[in-house]
Amino acid sequence: MVNTQLIVIPVGRARSNHAEIARQIGIDIIAGRYPEHGKLPGDAEFTAQFGVSRPVVRESVKTLVAKGLLSTKAKVGTVVRERSAWNMFDPDVLAWHLDAGIDRRFLRDLADIRLAVEPRSAALAAERRTPEALALIEAAMQEMREADPYSVAFAEADLRLHIAIANASDNPFMRSIGAVIEAALRASFLLSAPVEDVEREIAIAAHSRIVEAIAQRSPELAGAAMTDVIFNGLRRQGVDGEGAAAR
């Protein structure tokens, strides 16, 4: 299990009472404390454990059912579903994985989906970006250059840059991948923020090449530069490219 903590990008979502209970149960499911196909404790046990009312527990369970983690059946109870049924594009489910502790397989899986989408997103941004969209991309890049690499500001600027590129693609499906990008970058800064000046310069230069290619309306260069950024992140995390389109 990889858990060397450096920087965490704030999730930025307010939590209601039932959402916090759903989060705690969700983390326990992801961490394996409630195994797949196993039954969850009853309402009474959860109300005592969390000190909340039965309606709050039931609302929390409904949330987890909607996210694919649980199923409820008459005369059976509430059961943990198999991992393949979980909605891995859900922002909360991704965030809970990071809270539960992540391994190299999870990092490679994130890289796989990023490699399938983000290079194409960058290429589309190069083709379709408006002056306004380019200005947002360049502003985020400038914030990365100016921020301390060990700060939350650096992490947030990196996230804003990738989201701005997805938005500039003018494709709603690319925009919707934002939750995966956020989870991947949170993991990256949790595990592998640049630890030396040379690593910071490599990261800045690699991201700058994406921005330059988008500004020059060069889809091929933008896509290739995004691919390099993703592989550079894997390298810093100490994860090999196996299972992530290794080259």
Side-chain angles (χ1 to χ4, degrees):
M1 198 69 69
V2 183
N3 59 7
T4 304
Q5 185 166 344
L6 294 175
I7 300 173
V8 181
I9 304 174
V11 177
R13 286 186 287 275
R15 295 175 183 145
S16 63
N17 204 10
H18 84 265
E20 178 57 28
I21 303 305
R23 172 182 172 274
Q24 293 185 46
I25 297 173
I27 292 171
D28 283 342
I29 291 170
I30 290 166
R33 287 184 278 273
Y34 299 123
E36 294 179 21
H37 307 296
K39 287 184 62 175
L40 236 58
D43 290 353
E45 185 172 335
F46 278 139
T47 58
Q49 177 182 343
F50 296 118
V52 296
S53 65
R54 190 179 297 265
V56 170
V57 170
R58 290 181 174 175
E59 192 65 27
S60 302
V61 169
K62 287 181 182 178
T63 296
L64 294 169
V65 168
K67 295 177 185 296
L69 275 66
L70 297 175
S71 64
T72 56
K73 296 180 181 179
K75 300 181 180 180
V76 175
T78 304
V79 176
V80 177
R81 299 184 69 187
E82 63 277 7
R83 192 172 187 271
S84 60
W86 301 354
N87 180 6
M88 294 298 292
F89 284 95
D90 183 279
D92 289 329
V93 174
L94 285 166
W96 297 341
H97 273 83
L98 301 187
D99 291 335
I102 52 178
D103 57 18
R104 286 175 172 79
R105 171 61 187 273
F106 182 79
L107 293 172
R108 286 199 302 268
D109 288 346
L110 275 178
D112 282 338
I113 192 64
R114 291 186 70 195
L115 287 165
V117 175
E118 282 200 85
R120 180 57 180 161
S121 178
L124 287 175
E127 292 177 359
R128 302 174 179 176
R129 57 88 175 161
T130 63
E132 294 77 13
L134 178 60
L136 291 174
I137 292 170
E138 291 177 334
M141 186 69 248
Q142 186 59 31
E143 289 173 12
M144 279 188 70
R145 292 191 183 99
E146 295 174 354
D148 185 319
Y150 307 103
S151 69
V152 170
F154 188 88
E156 289 180 332
D158 193 352
L159 175 59
R160 277 195 294 275
L161 174 60
H162 285 266
I163 298 300
I165 291 169
N167 289 340
S169 73
D170 195 29
N171 183 308
F173 294 101
M174 297 295 185
R175 294 171 183 171
S176 295
I177 205 71
V180 173
I181 298 171
E182 178 179 350
L185 292 179
R186 284 186 67 214
S188 177
F189 280 91
L190 184 68
L191 303 171
S192 63
V195 294
E196 298 176 351
D197 288 344
V198 64
E199 289 292 341
R200 178 185 184 278
E201 293 308 314
I202 289 172
I204 292 292
H207 284 80
S208 295
R209 284 192 288 273
I210 303 173
V211 177
E212 291 165 4
I214 291 172
Q216 296 167 5
R217 296 193 182 277
S218 175
E220 295 81 7
L221 291 178
M226 180 64 79
T227 299
D228 287 342
V229 162
I230 296 169
F231 274 105
N232 184 51
L234 280 173
R235 179 185 59 78
R236 293 206 321 272
Q237 291 164 2
V239 179
D240 61 35
E242 182 183 353
R247 50 179 189 170

